[in-house]
Amino acid sequence: MGKTIIKDKLNRPLHDLRISVIDRCNFRCQYCMPAEQFGPDFQFLPRSALLTYEEIDRLAKIFVRLGVEKIRLTGGEPLLRRDLPILISRLSNIEGLLDLALTTNGVLLPKLADKLKEAGLKRVNISLDTLDDELFGEINGRGIGTGPVLEGIHAAKQAGLGIKINMVVKKGLNHSEIIPMAEYCKTHGLELRYIEYMDVGSTNGWKMDDVVTKKQIYDILKDHFELEPVGPAYFGEVAKLYRYKDTEVNVGFITSVSESFCSSCTRARLSANGQIYTCLFNGNGHDVRNFMRNGATDEQIEERITAIWNGRDDRYSDERTAETNRKRKKIEMSYIGG
Ligand code: SAM
Ligand code: SF4
Ligand code: SF4
């Protein structure tokens, strides 16, 4: 079946989809799911609220018909979702889907990397914010050292998966790890992406002062390494990329705060319970799960998604001020997966 290109109010096509497969996590990263808010009594979604693999597959096919070429699975921690390779295998068979990726904290990769690769996964982004065990334990809120994540990276490599490393940089927390992480990733041939700390959700206590900007990180890096810019790989590529001179290794920046990229944002998000979000910072989800469970046909779902996308005018990062940060109804990062 042919593809339809749909555009939003700012003329942005729908091109990529982030699917959260679970809202739970084995970490409690302080910038994402702080342990004080996500304690033992926190009510995560019941299993019946989660989209089934059949439902995810059905929606993914419709999204691909509407122009999506790239899907990333996320969470919470996606590898906690039971039998994830079954979902990967279904999604990787969708005609017209060009790229299937996954973002993970990496801890379960030693167990799952081979199975994920066999099922058709192409690449993983693994989150690691420091190489310091003690600091990492503090950041992940569970006292877990870097060992399990480093083993996860090794397992992904052995399995033949493409790997990128995500590092959220927060002032006063891990900015001293900018160079050690660069050294580690460069030595191991891994693309590192520094992510500006964002004001997602309402639990992480975000302050503009806590952000270490791309420019600040770049200035630190260029004292240690010779870097040359690399152009964007495609329209909507969110990372600003550089390459260490005389190597094939890239290093990138996700400048969500200091240099917003709303004008080329082509991403929809599907939460674990089947709500569509048109922006990381727009807390108004649009239900498709109940619609589907009440018997909607593929055509009706396609129409609903088209209407949601046609009505989209989000550009939060372009407009971000301390005021918008306080006032907006937002959605937790762990809920829609970054
Ligand atoms: N659990 C998986 C992981 O940690 O990779 C997937 C979900 S996590 C929400 C997706 C990405 O969002 C991770 O790379 C994480 O570091 C990033 N992230 C979480 N909170 C953030 C924040 N406040 N600012 C910027 N990035 C954040
Ligand atoms: Fe879990 Fe990922 Fe959020 Fe950390 S960033 S708490 S690993 S979902
Ligand atoms: Fe896209 Fe919203 Fe982020 Fe802008 S703020 S880049 S519209 S997700």
Side-chain angles (χ1 to χ4, degrees):
M1 210 177 294
K3 281 202 182 216
T4 316
I5 302 293
I6 57 172
K7 300 259 179 95
D8 71 6
K9 284 187 169 169
L10 305 177
N11 213 26
R12 297 168 296 190
L14 171 61
H15 179 260
D16 61 297
L17 176 67
R18 213 158 259 214
I19 304 177
S20 169
V21 294
I22 191 162
D23 59 336
R24 289 161 201 264
C25 189
N26 42 359
F27 279 8
R28 288 291 179 273
C29 299
Q30 36 173 284
Y31 50 71
C32 177
M33 291 173 87
E36 312 83 69
Q37 269 88 14
F38 293 82
D41 298 332
F42 186 83
Q43 290 291 313
F44 288 100
L45 292 168
R47 200 180 160 78
S48 60
L50 300 182
L51 292 177
T52 64
Y53 286 170
E54 287 74 20
E55 289 170 333
I56 295 177
D57 184 39
R58 184 176 172 203
L59 287 173
K61 285 189 175 116
I62 296 172
F63 270 103
V64 169
R65 281 206 295 279
L66 292 174
V68 164
E69 294 190 334
K70 180 177 166 188
I71 290 182
R72 173 175 298 280
L73 301 182
T74 177
E77 174 45 47
L79 299 187
L80 289 180
R81 178 87 188 240
R82 198 182 302 162
D83 296 328
L84 191 71
I86 294 178
L87 177 66
I88 303 274
S89 150
R90 282 176 178 242
L91 297 179
S92 64
N93 281 314
I94 297 179
E95 205 179 314
L97 182 66
L98 305 183
D99 191 14
L100 181 61
L102 172 93
T103 304
T104 171
N105 63 27
V107 167
L108 290 171
L109 279 173
K111 199 169 124 199
L112 287 168
D114 284 334
K115 293 193 182 89
L116 294 167
K117 172 74 180 169
E118 276 161 33
L121 187 69
K122 299 200 168 68
R123 43 198 202 84
V124 284
N125 281 22
I126 303 175
S127 303
L128 180 65
D129 304 317
T130 171
L131 290 164
D132 181 289
D133 280 323
E134 205 172 312
L135 179 58
F136 191 57
E138 252 173 62
I139 293 176
N140 64 48
R142 286 275 155 98
I144 298 169
T146 59
V149 182
L150 299 178
E151 283 164 30
I153 294 172
H154 181 69
K157 217 176 207 177
Q158 292 294 107
L161 290 164
I163 306 173
K164 287 176 189 158
I165 305 294
N166 285 353
M167 171 181 180
V168 176
V169 188
K170 185 177 172 192
K171 198 177 287 171
L173 184 68
N174 64 338
H175 69 262
S176 58
E177 287 292 296
I178 289 168
I179 295 299
M181 284 289 293
E183 298 275 12
Y184 172 84
C185 290
K186 182 169 178 263
T187 308
H188 290 85
L190 300 167
E191 181 172 316
L192 173 63
R193 285 151 172 246
Y194 296 100
I195 304 179
E196 291 177 352
Y197 171 50
M198 288 190 288
D199 47 336
V200 283
S202 46
T203 54
N204 73 0
W206 183 89
K207 296 193 298 305
M208 191 69 188
D209 276 355
D210 294 334
V211 178
V212 187
T213 63
K214 175 216 160 182
K215 181 172 183 320
Q216 291 165 334
I217 301 171
Y218 180 81
D219 285 346
I220 296 172
L221 277 185
K222 78 174 178 7
D223 286 344
H224 288 76
F225 306 98
E226 261 192 272
L227 297 169
E228 45 199 19
V230 180
Y234 55 87
F235 179 79
E237 163 70 277
V238 294
K240 312 260 179 338
L241 286 179
Y242 294 79
R243 182 168 301 151
Y244 297 106
K245 197 159 185 279
D246 303 324
T247 74
E248 293 293 306
V249 188
N250 288 347
V251 57
F253 300 87
I254 313 283
T255 60
S256 332
V257 180
S258 70
E259 292 171 29
S260 57
F261 38 79
C262 299
S263 61
S264 59
C265 178
T266 56
R267 179 171 301 161
R269 295 177 160 84
L270 179 63
S271 68
N273 62 346
Q275 308 284 305
I276 293 173
Y277 291 86
T278 54
C279 171
L280 189 50
F281 301 94
N282 183 342
N284 297 316
H286 304 263
D287 170 70
V288 276
R289 183 198 62 192
N290 294 345
F291 192 50
M292 196 164 40
R293 289 185 184 173
N294 289 333
T297 64
D298 281 7
E299 262 179 10
Q300 287 169 324
I301 297 169
E302 199 169 310
E303 274 168 25
R304 176 166 286 199
I305 296 173
T306 303
I308 294 167
W309 194 260
N310 288 157
R312 175 185 193 246
D313 60 0
D314 306 284
R315 43 193 293 275
Y316 175 85
S317 285
D318 281 353
E319 297 166 331
R320 175 188 283 110
T321 61
E323 208 42 38
T324 53
N325 176 47
R326 264 199 300 281
K327 282 190 179 156
R328 276 293 267 253
K329 171 189 169 204
K330 291 193 285 184
I331 179 83
E332 295 304 325
M333 185 74 141
S334 51
Y335 200 69
I336 49 171

